[in-house]
Amino acid sequence: MMDNREVNIINRFLHGDHEAYSLLYREHVQELFSYGKALTGNDERLKDAIQDVFYKILSNPSTLKDVQNLKYFLFKSLKNRLIDILKSEMHQSQSGEAAYERFDFTINDVTVLDSLIEEEERLELSRKIKLLLNRLTARQREAVCLRYIYDMEYDEIADLLNMSNSKSARNLVSRALEHLRKDELELFILLFYSINQM
């Protein structure tokens, strides 16, 4: 769900306030880039996709009219646009599963860490978390990051991962966490809990 401030910004944009549109862009572009970077290693492709997402919103403001969770809406729009671009580039039809082939989340992309801990500790923690995440499949990594980094609900995760229901997404996250040893799991959960409290 969106907070009142975000609802107010969207309402201003829907009523023709283009400064509100610029504000929406500025507030979400970095997080979109971080998420998209995990889906594609091509920065230019990613920048184009983000621009396409916001251009579509600017061209058709009513797409935001019934949005309940703006972050989820933007993530889904970006992922779909990246899949479309990849399909176009490969000149062949493929399912959305192709996007999971490289989900490569790096903890360095989470900007709140810069203010959470000192640089040396951040780098060490980043290395440990990356090792933990690399034990998971790309699909599990994406599900875990969507849940604990981007604070998505299980039904939103299910939709982003083309799963049948929220129970499937919950099971995927649970199985992913089971792959981690108990002591590392505690570190992992503590880190993401800390991030989400910022």
Side-chain angles (χ1 to χ4, degrees), residues 87-114:
K87 283 181 181 179
S88 175
E89 288 176 359
M90 298 172 93
H91 301 293
Q92 64 183 24
S93 180
Q94 61 186 22
S95 77
E97 297 298 314
Y100 304 119
E101 291 175 4
R102 81 160 301 276
F103 192 85
D104 183 25
F105 178 82
T106 60
I107 205 70
N108 291 331
D109 292 332
V110 183
T111 57
V112 293
L113 278 182
D114 292 332

Side-chain angles (χ1 to χ4, degrees), residues 63-111:
T63 58
L64 294 183
K65 187 175 182 183
D66 297 318
V67 169
Q68 299 296 309
N69 183 330
L70 183 60
K71 184 192 297 186
Y72 161 72
F73 172 81
L74 291 172
F75 275 35
K76 183 173 182 180
S77 298
L78 177 61
K79 186 168 189 172
N80 287 341
R81 183 61 191 133
L82 283 169
I83 290 170
D84 288 345
I85 290 171
L86 288 171
K87 283 181 181 179
S88 175
E89 288 176 359
M90 298 172 93
H91 301 293
Q92 64 183 24
S93 180
Q94 61 186 22
S95 77
E97 297 298 314
Y100 304 119
E101 291 175 4
R102 81 160 301 276
F103 192 85
D104 183 25
F105 178 82
T106 60
I107 205 70
N108 291 331
D109 292 332
V110 183
T111 57

